[in-house]
Amino acid sequence: MEKRRLLGLTLDELQTVVKSLGMPAFTAKQIAQWVYGKRVRSIDEMTNLSTKNRALLSESFEIGASAPVDSMHSVDGTIKYLYQTVDHKYIESVYIPDGDRATLCVSSQIGCKMGCKFCMTGRQGFHGHLSVSDILNQIYSLPEADRLTNVVYMGQGEPFDNLENVLRSTEILTADFGWGWSPKRITVSTVGIRKEGLERFLKESQCHLAISMHNPIPEQRAQLMPAERLISIREVVEVLRSYDWSHQRRLSFEYIVFGDWNDSLDYGKEIVNLLHGLECRVNLIRFHQIPDSDLRNTEPQQMIRLRDYLTQHGVFTTIRASRGEDIYAACGLLSTKKLQSEQNVNSEPGYK
């Protein structure tokens, strides 16, 4: 019988576990401390549990941590890690050190349903939701976990399409029984797929929110991002307007800039009109070329002109530095199409 994972269980769920096994109620907090506080690799390390209770727990449970199976290192210090999921598929995470900050870009799904034309992940199709355990394992088993200052849900998959597990993972990251992080250290990104999901996230989480905009004109955005047909960017903004953003919670809009497509100041004017009066920022992102795409990057000076126009018209705007492009770790490039053969890991692209 396959064992259940302790990694990914909330305190309430751990209390249910120990009760079912006839253990004292306080054992649940002890297990949570060993798993989330000390990041142990085996139940045998839980030395304040009796030998009998450790053996009993081990009959049905394991920690569930799984080290990366491979990695790729960029010249700029970025590291892309390959993880195997519980069902023997693969996902990628990207570790981005930057001075005294270190960010991990985590995945929430195996592949993606959204089909955005600029993204390699969407091309591999959808192969399943990540469990809470698989989401947290990207952090738990990261070799540089002790250096992390921030986590962004901007890897493979659409977080709001796996919202239940994403919310549970952020609960564990921020709860006293878990990692105890401030929610301000976590950003969740979405293209916006359901009004109910957006409203639920705003109500149940205090993490930062990033909206993938990429075009402020709904008809054109739909050509690039099929999710526009599920909920318009205008409807997304209206939902966001109804929320109180005065509590140090950050709202940002991601905007990949494509040459001769969405990079003119006419689009800057549309963005200003769309976001007027909304407390937010816009992050301009350089397009990273993918095979067989007629989209192309814009000139750096055009990005600067667009940034300056938005800033001058009251929309705080930055140009995000590109990291890890040489190892296919930059925005839109994550893809793990091929699964494992009997002895070798075959992923796309580039693992040796």
Side-chain angles (χ1 to χ4, degrees), residues 139-209:
I139 305 165
Y140 195 96
S141 297
L142 182 76
E144 299 83 4
D146 291 338
R147 304 178 197 171
L148 278 185
T149 59
N150 300 87
V151 167
V152 294
Y153 286 68
M154 296 182 181
Q156 292 169 273
E158 163 52 52
F160 276 27
D161 193 38
N162 190 19
L163 185 58
E164 185 68 38
N165 288 346
V166 166
L167 284 174
R168 287 179 61 200
S169 69
T170 60
E171 176 191 352
I172 292 170
L173 282 171
T174 58
D176 290 339
F177 71 82
W179 271 289
W181 280 26
S182 164
K184 308 305 183 292
R185 297 172 64 179
I186 304 166
T187 300
V188 178
S189 175
T190 180
V191 300
I193 59 172
R194 286 182 292 273
K195 181 179 178 181
E196 297 79 7
L198 180 57
E199 292 173 334
R200 181 183 176 191
F201 177 81
L202 292 172
K203 179 180 179 181
E204 297 184 17
S205 172
Q206 289 299 312
C207 297
H208 296 317
L209 176 64

Side-chain angles (χ1 to χ4, degrees), residues 14 34 45 54 70 78 82 89 104 129 149 181 187-188 216-217 228 230 236 245 261 264 270 287 296 311 330 342:
L14 288 172
W34 284 110
E45 296 177 59
R54 275 181 277 163
D70 215 333
T78 299
L82 185 71
K89 295 177 182 176
L104 184 68
H129 297 300
T149 59
W181 280 26
T187 300
V188 178
I217 301 172
E228 169 68 26
L230 300 175
V236 168
W245 294 96
W261 199 80
S264 73
E270 293 286 347
F287 174 56
R296 65 180 185 83
T311 300
E342 288 269 341

Side-chain angles (χ1 to χ4, degrees), residues 49-297:
L49 273 64
S50 69
T51 302
K52 175 184 175 182
N53 282 342
R54 275 181 277 163
L56 189 60
L57 191 62
S58 296
E59 288 179 5
S60 302
F61 291 88
E62 61 184 0
I63 301 299
S66 176
V69 297
D70 215 333
S71 63
M72 296 180 68
H73 294 247
S74 168
V75 294
D76 65 21
T78 299
I79 307 173
K80 183 170 68 171
Y81 287 105
L82 185 71
Y83 287 93
Q84 187 177 40
T85 66
V86 67
D87 54 354
H88 307 295
K89 295 177 182 176
Y90 292 95
I91 55 169
E92 293 176 330
S93 305
V94 181
Y95 173 72
I96 310 168
D98 185 15
D100 59 355
R101 291 169 56 88
T103 299
L104 184 68
C105 180
V106 301
S107 295
S108 57
Q109 294 180 311
I110 307 164
C112 187
K113 301 175 185 176
M114 298 300 106
C116 298
K117 290 187 176 179
F118 51 83
C119 183
M120 285 292 293
T121 305
R123 289 190 176 188
Q124 78 178 67
F126 175 72
H127 300 281
H129 297 300
L130 290 188
S131 66
V132 181
S133 179
D134 280 324
I135 293 172
L136 291 178
N137 184 57
Q138 297 168 73
I139 305 165
Y140 195 96
S141 297
L142 182 76
E144 299 83 4
D146 291 338
R147 304 178 197 171
L148 278 185
T149 59
N150 300 87
V151 167
V152 294
Y153 286 68
M154 296 182 181
Q156 292 169 273
E158 163 52 52
F160 276 27
D161 193 38
N162 190 19
L163 185 58
E164 185 68 38
N165 288 346
V166 166
L167 284 174
R168 287 179 61 200
S169 69
T170 60
E171 176 191 352
I172 292 170
L173 282 171
T174 58
D176 290 339
F177 71 82
W179 271 289
W181 280 26
S182 164
K184 308 305 183 292
R185 297 172 64 179
I186 304 166
T187 300
V188 178
S189 175
T190 180
V191 300
I193 59 172
R194 286 182 292 273
K195 181 179 178 181
E196 297 79 7
L198 180 57
E199 292 173 334
R200 181 183 176 191
F201 177 81
L202 292 172
K203 179 180 179 181
E204 297 184 17
S205 172
Q206 289 299 312
C207 297
H208 296 317
L209 176 64
I211 303 293
S212 295
M213 179 197 298
H214 310 310
N215 196 303
I217 301 172
E219 296 77 14
Q220 294 184 19
R221 187 173 184 259
Q223 296 173 22
L224 188 70
M225 305 169 66
E228 169 68 26
R229 302 184 183 100
L230 300 175
I231 178 172
S232 170
I233 187 63
R234 290 174 181 167
E235 187 176 359
V236 168
V237 170
E238 286 308 306
V239 172
L240 298 173
R241 286 188 188 281
S242 66
Y243 182 79
D244 181 4
W245 294 96
S246 62
H247 304 294
Q248 297 185 332
R249 186 180 192 178
R250 186 172 66 242
L251 170 64
S252 59
F253 289 84
E254 310 296 298
Y255 194 89
I256 297 177
V257 188
F258 304 99
D260 297 326
W261 199 80
N262 67 349
D263 61 345
S264 73
L265 299 189
D266 289 338
Y267 288 93
K269 182 178 179 180
E270 293 286 347
I271 294 172
V272 170
N273 291 337
L274 179 66
L275 303 182
H276 178 72
L278 188 62
E279 186 69 26
C280 64
R281 69 172 62 186
V282 170
N283 295 317
L284 302 181
I285 303 169
R286 184 168 68 84
F287 174 56
H288 302 101
Q289 194 69 44
I290 63 175
D292 303 318
S293 173
D294 55 2
L295 296 167
R296 65 180 185 83
N297 194 17

